[in-house]
Amino acid sequence: MEKIRMITPLAEMDGDEMTRVLWADIKELLLHPFVDLKTEYYDLGLPNRDKTGDQVTIDAAEACRRLGVGVKCATITPNAQRVEEYQLHEMWKSPNGTIRAMLDGTCFRAPIMVEGISPVIPAWTSPITIARHAYGDIYKNTELTAPEGSRAELVVTSPDGTEKRAQIHQFKGPGIVQGIHNTDSSIASFAHSCFRYALDTHQDLWFATKDTISKTYDHHFKDIFQEIYDADYAKAFEEAGITYFYTLIDDAIARVVRSKGGFVWALKNYDGDVMSDMIATAFGSLAMMTSVLVSPDGKYEYEAAHGTVTRHYYRYLKGEETSTNPVATIFAWSGALRKRGELDNLPELVRFADLLEKAALTTITDGIMTKDLVALWHGKAEAQGVNSRAFLTAIAERLAKLLETA
Ligand code: NAP
Ligand code: MG
């Protein structure tokens, strides 16, 4: 069989620990046999980030921007323990944070659904994608304790020296104060990424804040979204038959729980942090969540939502057999290859991406799965928990058949 052709390379970012092992296995068993794979390879494994003074992360983000589509393996975000473990020169910043800042992107997380593994909420028959604004609010806060009797004020000083001033609170007893901010440009980037992603995936977009209580701050988010929608996207949404819908966050929660799924839910930074964990848990498993970073000018970076699965990696190093779920990492590759195929007008590559996902899901519905899924399984076939390599081999067999026949 002739291998499927690519034109533009993907920005490929290798990573750490167990997911690095899976990364190589996925390429060997599921990609190289079928696709004439073209990538620009960046080793974001912690030893190489340390060796290059983290320049490799910057080069990789730049490659994502230049090539338009990237695929990333999970990476370690170092803490004090990792500095010791890897004898690092510095406690390098989170690669995801660096890439997100350079692409000015929004992260979309979506569960991978498969028959036989049900969400906790039975009505959810389609995935719910969370779009979390990844800048500002309490993640860049300034906070102080306020002694008894103190007065807290909010002061904004303009470049010409004029001041806007408002009292936050006149304290009788002791208390606390917090200042947070966001910027119009960051909110606008967030809005563009959300509208673009909704159009791309042909799903309705919901956005929710607490604008009834936060009449300036949250209301500003609502206004920017509405202005950008009216100016740039209303027509395209109408033509695509999808809707943009703003509602109060409390109302959104009630509607989400009663919904069938199948939409994108955009949220401010903190709300997105909390709700994405709720959605991931309610859909079943972190190992079945995909993540894609979308920049406001349409650059895409695909990855799994989970980390490097350190506990499994330590067992792997001891020579023990591991059953780590590679599905989200496979979907990172299929997502990137599909997008590359769409952009380069390569229907064969798009079809390969579809069949790769189908092969992975069919393997599970046939009862062959990694051990994390066995506990969640209630499908027809009897579940057989296998190691990662056996699971990938079973997917490869099905993929080869699908590519021949379909
Ligand atoms: P994690 O790697 O996601 O793993 C947490 C636990 O979830 C695992 O121990 C495992 O549970 C289960 N799990 C996650 N993914 C799985 C999979 N594919 N198959 C089977 N089980 C899976 O999170 P972590 O342990 O908090 O973080 C480990 C490292 O990853 C850290 O250094 C962190 O910095 C990094 N991290 C990177 C990213 C990223 O690059 N996007 C994201 C998050 C974390 P059991 O052990 O019970 O089987
Ligand atoms: Mg969180």
Side-chain angles (χ1 to χ4, degrees), residues 274-285:
V274 177
M275 285 305 147
S276 65
D277 279 5
M278 187 276 282
I279 294 284
T281 308
F283 269 99
S285 164

Side-chain angles (χ1 to χ4, degrees), residues 72 74-75 77 82 96 287 303 306-312 325:
K72 181 181 167 291
T75 46
T77 298
R82 297 296 200 166
N96 288 49
E303 63 179 313
H306 60 77
T308 58
V309 209
T310 311
R311 272 193 292 184
H312 293 210
N325 189 336

Side-chain angles (χ1 to χ4, degrees), residues 17 19 22 72-79 82 95-96 109 285-288 303-312 315 323-329 370 372:
E17 300 194 313
T19 42
L22 294 176
K72 181 181 167 291
C73 179
T75 46
I76 293 169
T77 298
N79 53 16
R82 297 296 200 166
N96 288 49
R109 274 184 163 203
S285 164
L286 191 59
M288 298 289 278
E303 63 179 313
H306 60 77
T308 58
V309 209
T310 311
R311 272 193 292 184
H312 293 210
R315 291 209 295 272
S323 182
T324 314
N325 189 336
V327 171
T329 306
T370 46
D372 56 305

Side-chain angles (χ1 to χ4, degrees), residues 121-290:
I121 296 183
W124 291 352
T125 49
S126 297
I128 295 169
T129 303
I130 297 275
R132 171 185 171 189
H133 186 210
Y135 177 83
D137 304 348
I138 63 163
Y139 301 84
K140 286 225 182 280
N141 68 356
T142 307
E143 30 180 45
L144 293 169
T145 53
E148 182 177 345
S150 48
R151 185 173 77 238
E153 285 182 296
L154 206 54
V155 184
V156 177
T157 312
S158 299
D160 67 4
T162 54
E163 276 182 0
K164 284 198 265 186
R165 217 168 245 280
Q167 176 167 309
I168 296 172
H169 193 65
Q170 174 67 58
F171 288 90
K172 290 198 183 81
I176 40 178
V177 199
Q178 165 169 257
I180 60 170
H181 81 279
N182 225 298
T183 67
D184 287 15
S185 79
S186 177
I187 300 167
S189 293
F190 175 45
H192 280 292
S193 296
C194 290
F195 289 126
R196 211 174 244 286
Y197 185 87
L199 278 170
D200 251 23
T201 59
H202 212 91
Q203 300 183 83
D204 290 343
L205 176 68
W206 297 16
F207 181 43
T209 73
K210 192 73 178 173
D211 66 290
T212 47
I213 298 297
S214 175
K215 288 186 168 62
T216 301
Y217 198 101
D218 278 19
H219 208 286
H220 203 61
F221 277 79
K222 178 183 174 183
D223 288 344
I224 289 178
F225 263 70
Q226 193 63 48
E227 280 160 25
I228 289 176
Y229 176 73
D230 292 341
D232 298 340
Y233 296 97
K235 197 156 167 279
F237 267 54
E238 201 176 309
E239 279 165 15
I242 58 174
T243 55
Y244 167 59
F245 168 61
Y246 176 86
T247 188
L248 257 188
I249 188 152
D250 335 34
D251 178 50
I253 303 281
R255 286 173 187 261
V256 165
V257 169
R258 288 196 308 259
S259 78
K260 294 195 175 101
F263 53 90
V264 182
W265 187 15
L267 290 159
K268 287 174 59 204
N269 210 349
Y270 173 81
D271 303 332
D273 185 357
V274 177
M275 285 305 147
S276 65
D277 279 5
M278 187 276 282
I279 294 284
T281 308
F283 269 99
S285 164
L286 191 59
M288 298 289 278
M289 286 292 279
T290 61

